[in-house]
Amino acid sequence: NLVWGLGGMINLGLAGFYAVGAYATALLATRAGWPDGAALLAATLAACAIGAGVALLTARLRGDYLAIVTLGFAEVLRLAATNEMWLTHGADGISNIPAPGRAGLTPFGFEMLFFGLVWGAVLLLGFGFARLSGSPFGRVLRAIREDETVAQVAGKRTLRFKVQAFALGAGVSGLAGGLYAQFNGYVAPDAFGPLVTIYVVLAVVAGGTGRMTGAVLGAVLVTALTEGTRFLGALLPFLHPVQIASVREGVIGLALIGLLHLRPEGVLPERVRLHSPP
Protein backbone atom coordinates (compact mmCIF):
# COMPACT_ATOMS: atom_id res chain seq x y z
CA ASN A 1 0.00 0.00 0.00
CA LEU A 2 2.90 2.37 0.67
CA VAL A 3 4.53 1.68 -2.70
CA TRP A 4 1.43 1.43 -4.86
CA GLY A 5 -1.37 3.06 -2.89
CA LEU A 6 0.63 6.17 -1.99
CA GLY A 7 3.52 6.22 -4.45
CA GLY A 8 1.70 4.90 -7.51
CA MET A 9 4.50 2.42 -8.29
CA ILE A 10 3.21 -0.97 -9.45
CA ASN A 11 5.34 -3.56 -7.67
CA LEU A 12 4.52 -7.13 -8.65
CA GLY A 13 7.66 -8.51 -7.04
CA LEU A 14 6.17 -8.87 -3.55
CA ALA A 15 6.54 -12.66 -3.62
CA GLY A 16 10.26 -12.19 -4.28
CA PHE A 17 10.83 -10.04 -1.19
CA TYR A 18 8.62 -12.45 0.76
CA ALA A 19 10.93 -15.27 -0.35
CA VAL A 20 14.04 -13.27 0.58
CA GLY A 21 12.76 -12.87 4.14
CA ALA A 22 11.76 -16.52 4.44
CA TYR A 23 15.00 -17.97 3.06
CA ALA A 24 17.24 -15.49 4.88
CA THR A 25 15.55 -16.35 8.18
CA ALA A 26 15.79 -20.08 7.47
CA LEU A 27 19.45 -20.02 6.41
CA LEU A 28 20.63 -17.79 9.25
CA ALA A 29 18.81 -19.87 11.84
CA THR A 30 19.64 -23.37 10.54
CA ARG A 31 23.15 -22.89 9.14
CA ALA A 32 24.60 -19.92 11.01
CA GLY A 33 22.86 -20.70 14.29
CA TRP A 34 21.54 -17.16 14.78
CA PRO A 35 18.89 -16.53 17.46
CA ASP A 36 15.31 -16.39 16.18
CA GLY A 37 14.87 -12.64 16.68
CA ALA A 38 18.25 -11.76 15.17
CA ALA A 39 17.60 -13.93 12.11
CA LEU A 40 14.19 -12.29 11.60
CA LEU A 41 15.63 -8.78 11.93
CA ALA A 42 18.51 -9.53 9.55
CA ALA A 43 16.10 -11.00 7.00
CA THR A 44 13.96 -7.86 7.17
CA LEU A 45 16.99 -5.63 6.64
CA ALA A 46 18.17 -7.83 3.75
CA ALA A 47 14.79 -7.45 2.04
CA CYS A 48 14.99 -3.67 2.61
CA ALA A 49 18.43 -3.51 0.98
CA ILE A 50 17.35 -5.60 -2.01
CA GLY A 51 14.21 -3.47 -2.36
CA ALA A 52 16.34 -0.31 -2.47
CA GLY A 53 18.55 -1.90 -5.10
CA VAL A 54 15.57 -2.88 -7.26
CA ALA A 55 14.18 0.65 -6.95
CA LEU A 56 17.47 2.14 -8.13
CA LEU A 57 17.70 -0.26 -11.08
CA THR A 58 14.12 0.47 -12.16
CA ALA A 59 14.15 4.19 -11.40
CA ARG A 60 13.31 5.19 -14.98
CA LEU A 61 10.51 2.67 -15.45
CA ARG A 62 6.83 3.53 -15.11
CA GLY A 63 3.52 1.69 -15.07
CA ASP A 64 3.39 -1.61 -16.91
CA TYR A 65 7.15 -1.69 -17.51
CA LEU A 66 7.86 -1.49 -13.78
CA ALA A 67 5.24 -4.17 -13.11
CA ILE A 68 6.79 -6.54 -15.66
CA VAL A 69 10.34 -6.07 -14.37
CA THR A 70 9.39 -6.57 -10.71
CA LEU A 71 7.33 -9.65 -11.62
CA GLY A 72 10.36 -11.01 -13.47
CA PHE A 73 12.54 -10.29 -10.44
CA ALA A 74 10.29 -12.39 -8.22
CA GLU A 75 10.25 -15.26 -10.71
CA VAL A 76 14.05 -15.18 -11.03
CA LEU A 77 14.37 -15.51 -7.27
CA ARG A 78 11.91 -18.40 -7.20
CA LEU A 79 13.75 -20.22 -9.98
CA ALA A 80 17.07 -19.60 -8.24
CA ALA A 81 15.67 -21.09 -5.03
CA THR A 82 14.50 -24.10 -7.03
CA ASN A 83 17.81 -24.73 -8.79
CA GLU A 84 20.52 -23.70 -6.32
CA MET A 85 20.63 -26.97 -4.40
CA TRP A 86 23.80 -26.05 -2.52
CA LEU A 87 22.06 -23.13 -0.84
CA THR A 88 18.32 -23.77 -0.66
CA HIS A 89 18.06 -27.58 -1.14
CA GLY A 90 16.02 -26.85 -4.27
CA ALA A 91 12.46 -28.13 -4.42
CA ASP A 92 13.05 -30.16 -1.23
CA GLY A 93 13.20 -26.91 0.73
CA ILE A 94 14.66 -26.15 4.14
CA SER A 95 13.13 -27.83 7.18
CA ASN A 96 13.52 -27.77 10.97
CA ILE A 97 13.55 -23.96 11.10
CA PRO A 98 13.57 -22.93 14.78
CA ALA A 99 10.98 -20.51 16.13
CA PRO A 100 10.31 -18.86 19.50
CA GLY A 101 8.27 -21.14 21.74
CA ARG A 102 8.24 -24.16 19.45
CA ALA A 103 10.20 -26.37 21.85
CA GLY A 104 8.56 -25.41 25.13
CA LEU A 105 4.90 -24.92 24.17
CA THR A 106 2.09 -27.22 23.12
CA PRO A 107 1.05 -26.95 19.44
CA PHE A 108 -1.96 -24.85 20.43
CA GLY A 109 0.16 -22.61 22.65
CA PHE A 110 2.67 -22.15 19.85
CA GLU A 111 -0.09 -21.17 17.42
CA MET A 112 -1.51 -18.68 19.91
CA LEU A 113 1.95 -17.21 20.45
CA PHE A 114 2.36 -16.65 16.74
CA PHE A 115 -1.18 -15.32 16.50
CA GLY A 116 -0.14 -12.62 18.95
CA LEU A 117 3.21 -12.00 17.23
CA VAL A 118 1.69 -11.59 13.78
CA TRP A 119 -1.18 -9.38 14.88
CA GLY A 120 1.19 -7.36 17.04
CA ALA A 121 3.36 -6.76 13.97
CA VAL A 122 0.30 -5.88 11.87
CA LEU A 123 -1.03 -3.36 14.36
CA LEU A 124 2.37 -1.81 15.05
CA LEU A 125 3.30 -1.48 11.39
CA GLY A 126 -0.21 -0.39 10.43
CA PHE A 127 -0.14 2.41 13.01
CA GLY A 128 3.38 3.47 12.00
CA PHE A 129 2.62 3.50 8.29
CA ALA A 130 -0.65 5.35 8.87
CA ARG A 131 1.29 8.07 10.67
CA LEU A 132 3.86 8.03 7.89
CA SER A 133 1.20 8.42 5.20
CA GLY A 134 -0.05 11.58 6.92
CA SER A 135 3.44 13.03 7.27
CA PRO A 136 5.33 15.15 4.72
CA PHE A 137 6.87 11.90 3.44
CA GLY A 138 3.43 10.53 2.63
CA ARG A 139 2.32 13.76 1.01
CA VAL A 140 5.37 13.72 -1.28
CA LEU A 141 4.57 10.13 -2.27
CA ARG A 142 1.03 11.19 -3.17
CA ALA A 143 2.44 14.04 -5.25
CA ILE A 144 4.66 11.54 -7.07
CA ARG A 145 1.64 9.32 -7.65
CA GLU A 146 -0.38 12.15 -9.16
CA ASP A 147 2.39 13.76 -11.25
CA GLU A 148 6.07 13.06 -10.67
CA THR A 149 7.16 15.91 -12.91
CA VAL A 150 5.23 18.44 -10.85
CA ALA A 151 6.78 17.02 -7.68
CA GLN A 152 10.25 17.46 -9.20
CA VAL A 153 9.45 21.02 -10.23
CA ALA A 154 8.41 21.68 -6.63
CA GLY A 155 11.94 20.76 -5.59
CA LYS A 156 11.33 17.24 -4.30
CA ARG A 157 14.02 14.61 -4.85
CA THR A 158 11.58 12.02 -6.12
CA LEU A 159 14.12 9.25 -6.62
CA ARG A 160 15.09 9.33 -2.95
CA PHE A 161 11.46 9.09 -1.84
CA LYS A 162 10.74 6.25 -4.26
CA VAL A 163 13.76 4.26 -3.10
CA GLN A 164 12.82 4.77 0.54
CA ALA A 165 9.22 3.68 -0.09
CA PHE A 166 10.36 0.64 -2.06
CA ALA A 167 12.81 -0.34 0.69
CA LEU A 168 10.17 -0.02 3.42
CA GLY A 169 7.63 -2.02 1.44
CA ALA A 170 10.19 -4.73 0.69
CA GLY A 171 11.15 -4.85 4.35
CA VAL A 172 7.56 -5.50 5.41
CA SER A 173 7.33 -8.31 2.83
CA GLY A 174 10.61 -9.74 4.13
CA LEU A 175 9.33 -9.62 7.72
CA ALA A 176 6.19 -11.48 6.64
CA GLY A 177 8.33 -14.10 4.91
CA GLY A 178 10.47 -14.55 8.00
CA LEU A 179 7.44 -15.04 10.23
CA TYR A 180 6.03 -17.51 7.70
CA ALA A 181 9.25 -19.54 7.76
CA GLN A 182 9.37 -19.63 11.55
CA PHE A 183 5.71 -20.56 11.94
CA ASN A 184 5.77 -23.39 9.40
CA GLY A 185 9.30 -24.56 10.18
CA TYR A 186 9.74 -25.26 6.47
CA VAL A 187 10.17 -23.24 3.27
CA ALA A 188 10.14 -24.37 -0.36
CA PRO A 189 10.05 -22.47 -3.68
CA ASP A 190 6.47 -23.41 -4.54
CA ALA A 191 5.21 -21.21 -1.68
CA PHE A 192 6.41 -18.04 -3.42
CA GLY A 193 4.61 -18.08 -6.74
CA PRO A 194 2.88 -15.10 -8.39
CA LEU A 195 -0.38 -15.99 -6.62
CA VAL A 196 1.06 -14.55 -3.40
CA THR A 197 1.45 -11.14 -5.05
CA ILE A 198 -2.01 -11.39 -6.62
CA TYR A 199 -3.61 -11.98 -3.22
CA VAL A 200 -1.77 -9.01 -1.71
CA VAL A 201 -2.84 -6.73 -4.56
CA LEU A 202 -6.43 -7.97 -4.22
CA ALA A 203 -6.33 -7.22 -0.49
CA VAL A 204 -5.16 -3.65 -1.08
CA VAL A 205 -7.73 -3.04 -3.83
CA ALA A 206 -10.59 -4.55 -1.83
CA GLY A 207 -9.69 -2.69 1.34
CA GLY A 208 -8.91 0.66 -0.28
CA THR A 209 -5.67 1.88 -1.80
CA GLY A 210 -3.85 4.66 -0.02
CA ARG A 211 -5.31 3.86 3.40
CA MET A 212 -3.48 1.56 5.81
CA THR A 213 -6.56 0.42 7.73
CA GLY A 214 -8.10 -0.46 4.37
CA ALA A 215 -5.14 -2.68 3.54
CA VAL A 216 -5.51 -4.58 6.82
CA LEU A 217 -9.27 -4.96 6.36
CA GLY A 218 -8.78 -6.07 2.75
CA ALA A 219 -6.30 -8.73 3.86
CA VAL A 220 -8.83 -10.05 6.39
CA LEU A 221 -11.57 -10.15 3.72
CA VAL A 222 -9.43 -11.92 1.12
CA THR A 223 -8.19 -14.45 3.68
CA ALA A 224 -11.75 -15.08 4.86
CA LEU A 225 -12.78 -15.77 1.26
CA THR A 226 -9.86 -18.01 0.38
CA GLU A 227 -9.95 -20.01 3.61
CA GLY A 228 -13.69 -19.91 4.27
CA THR A 229 -14.51 -21.51 0.93
CA ARG A 230 -12.67 -24.66 2.05
CA PHE A 231 -15.90 -25.65 3.82
CA LEU A 232 -17.79 -25.81 0.53
CA GLY A 233 -16.87 -29.48 0.30
CA ALA A 234 -19.19 -30.30 3.20
CA LEU A 235 -22.03 -28.34 1.57
CA LEU A 236 -21.52 -29.94 -1.87
CA PRO A 237 -20.83 -33.62 -1.16
CA PHE A 238 -21.95 -34.66 -4.65
CA LEU A 239 -18.94 -32.93 -6.27
CA HIS A 240 -15.47 -34.35 -6.71
CA PRO A 241 -12.52 -32.61 -5.03
CA VAL A 242 -11.32 -31.17 -8.36
CA GLN A 243 -14.78 -29.74 -9.02
CA ILE A 244 -14.94 -28.28 -5.51
CA ALA A 245 -11.61 -26.52 -6.13
CA SER A 246 -13.06 -24.97 -9.29
CA VAL A 247 -16.19 -23.89 -7.42
CA ARG A 248 -13.99 -22.28 -4.74
CA GLU A 249 -12.13 -20.24 -7.34
CA GLY A 250 -15.41 -19.17 -8.92
CA VAL A 251 -16.92 -18.12 -5.58
CA ILE A 252 -13.78 -16.14 -4.65
CA GLY A 253 -13.71 -14.42 -8.04
CA LEU A 254 -17.42 -13.54 -8.03
CA ALA A 255 -17.25 -12.23 -4.47
CA LEU A 256 -14.31 -9.95 -5.27
CA ILE A 257 -15.91 -8.75 -8.52
CA GLY A 258 -19.12 -7.97 -6.65
CA LEU A 259 -17.23 -6.13 -3.93
CA LEU A 260 -15.30 -4.01 -6.43
CA HIS A 261 -18.50 -3.34 -8.39
CA LEU A 262 -20.27 -2.05 -5.30
CA ARG A 263 -17.21 -0.33 -3.83
CA PRO A 264 -14.80 0.44 -6.70
CA GLU A 265 -12.58 2.48 -4.38
CA GLY A 266 -12.47 -0.27 -1.75
CA VAL A 267 -14.28 -0.76 1.53
CA LEU A 268 -12.30 2.07 3.17
CA PRO A 269 -11.28 4.47 0.39
CA GLU A 270 -8.54 7.01 0.83
CA ARG A 271 -9.64 10.27 2.42
CA VAL A 272 -9.07 13.28 0.22
CA ARG A 273 -8.10 16.29 2.29
CA LEU A 274 -9.19 19.54 0.72
CA HIS A 275 -7.71 22.81 1.95
CA SER A 276 -9.88 25.84 1.39
CA PRO A 277 -8.11 29.04 0.31
CA PRO A 278 -7.52 31.64 3.03
Side-chain angles (χ1 to χ4, degrees):
N1 201 23
L2 182 74
V3 176
W4 178 39
L6 294 184
M9 297 172 284
I10 304 176
N11 176 17
L12 296 184
L14 298 172
F17 301 117
Y18 186 57
V20 167
Y23 273 102
T25 301
L27 291 171
L28 289 173
T30 57
R31 295 195 181 183
W34 284 34
D36 302 333
L40 188 62
L41 177 60
T44 303
L45 295 177
C48 280
I50 294 175
V54 170
L56 288 171
L57 291 173
T58 59
R60 296 183 180 276
L61 299 179
R62 304 286 187 277
D64 296 341
Y65 299 100
L66 178 60
I68 292 171
V69 170
T70 52
L71 178 62
F73 158 78
E75 282 298 288
V76 166
L77 283 182
R78 187 177 66 84
L79 292 174
T82 303
N83 291 284
E84 299 300 325
M85 297 288 297
W86 63 275
L87 181 65
T88 64
H89 296 171
D92 293 335
I94 302 173
S95 57
N96 297 321
I97 302 170
R102 189 189 299 278
L105 296 174
T106 64
F108 179 76
F110 175 72
E111 291 177 357
M112 289 299 98
L113 172 64
F114 255 79
F115 181 85
L117 285 176
V118 171
W119 271 107
V122 168
L123 295 176
L124 181 63
L125 290 171
F127 176 77
F129 275 66
R131 293 293 300 270
L132 191 64
S133 66
S135 69
F137 180 82
R139 291 195 290 271
V140 172
L141 285 182
R142 288 187 178 89
I144 294 172
R145 178 189 66 189
E146 299 301 328
D147 195 320
E148 185 174 351
T149 303
V150 172
Q152 291 174 338
V153 171
K156 303 301 180 182
R157 299 173 61 183
T158 57
L159 177 60
R160 185 185 69 180
F161 284 93
K162 291 165 67 174
V163 170
Q164 290 173 344
F166 231 92
L168 287 172
V172 173
S173 298
L175 175 62
L179 289 171
Y180 166 82
Q182 290 183 339
F183 178 72
N184 283 303
Y186 172 77
V187 292
D190 59 358
F192 307 105
L195 193 61
V196 173
T197 299
I198 291 173
Y199 280 148
V200 175
V201 172
L202 284 175
V204 175
V205 172
T209 56
R211 192 169 178 182
M212 300 304 160
T213 50
V216 175
L217 178 60
V220 172
L221 290 175
V222 170
T223 303
L225 280 173
T226 54
E227 298 301 319
T229 51
R230 295 182 186 275
F231 300 100
L232 287 175
L235 301 176
L236 304 172
F238 52 87
L239 295 180
H240 295 293
V242 175
Q243 295 172 317
I244 292 173
S246 300
V247 171
R248 283 186 61 203
E249 293 179 359
V251 169
I252 294 169
L254 288 173
L256 290 171
I257 289 172
L259 173 63
L260 295 177
H261 178 72
L262 296 173
R263 302 280 296 184
E265 296 181 353
V267 178
L268 294 176
E270 182 181 11
R271 294 175 179 173
V272 180
R273 299 178 181 177
L274 300 176
H275 297 277
S276 58

